Amino acid sequence: MNSLKENPKDKMSIIHSRLVTFLLITPLISLVTACATNTPSHVKESADFCEVHNPERWMKVWQNGDAESTERYYQNLASDIKTTIKTEEFRNIFKEQLEIPPNEYRKEYSNDYVYYRKKISELLGEEWDCEYLKYHYVKEFEEE
């Protein structure tokens, strides 16, 4: 009779153990699924972000190289970047950049190109690079 009393406890222990496992694994599966569904949009955003910096696009605006053309160019670039970025994860790259104190930023990143390349690569989970960004964010271009 003693073994019958232990048996229901064992069954409860197994049920409890499975419930805990389910509760632990469900958020993990949700997280993986969410990341998997966001990956195509992040890939598109990163490609669009790169294309916004395409010299063929900005040469049309920045024809004269004067202050007015330069101002118009940066306004257009900022507007294009804003419309390109759609996910919160991608927006966070820009928010985080603004939160880094300038002295620390310069110590860690030689320029914005290095920052964007690193952060977008981290977001995508693979190496990302955009040759166009070098034209905008690297003052002295050196081959890597």
Side-chain angles (χ1 to χ4, degrees), residues 72-83:
R72 187 172 52 251
Y73 160 70
Y74 281 111
Q75 287 173 351
N76 289 350
L77 180 64
S79 177
D80 288 351
I81 290 172
K82 189 174 182 178
T83 58

Side-chain angles (χ1 to χ4, degrees), residues 41-53:
S41 63
H42 293 148
V43 170
K44 179 166 177 17
E45 280 177 308
S46 63
D48 291 347
F49 178 69
C50 181
E51 187 58 35
V52 163
H53 294 84

Side-chain angles (χ1 to χ4, degrees), residues 87-101:
T87 65
E88 191 63 30
E89 296 87 356
F90 215 102
R91 284 186 195 110
N92 284 338
I93 291 172
F94 300 96
K95 288 178 187 175
E96 290 171 9
Q97 182 182 26
L98 295 174
E99 293 172 358
I100 302 171

Side-chain angles (χ1 to χ4, degrees), residues 22 28 30-31 48 52 57 71 75 80 95 97 104:
F22 175 77
L28 181 61
S30 298
L31 180 63
D48 291 347
V52 163
R57 295 183 73 201
E71 181 65 27
Q75 287 173 351
D80 288 351
K95 288 178 187 175
Q97 182 182 26
E104 289 179 32

Side-chain angles (χ1 to χ4, degrees), residues 62 64-75:
W62 203 359
N64 302 331
D66 59 8
E68 186 178 320
S69 294
T70 302
E71 181 65 27
R72 187 172 52 251
Y73 160 70
Y74 281 111
Q75 287 173 351

Side-chain angles (χ1 to χ4, degrees), residues 121-140:
S121 292
E122 289 173 0
L123 179 64
L124 296 176
E126 62 185 37
E127 188 65 30
W128 180 84
D129 196 8
C130 174
E131 187 70 24
Y132 301 150
L133 292 178
K134 292 178 184 177
Y135 296 110
H136 295 270
Y137 303 115
V138 178
K139 291 179 182 166
E140 294 178 22

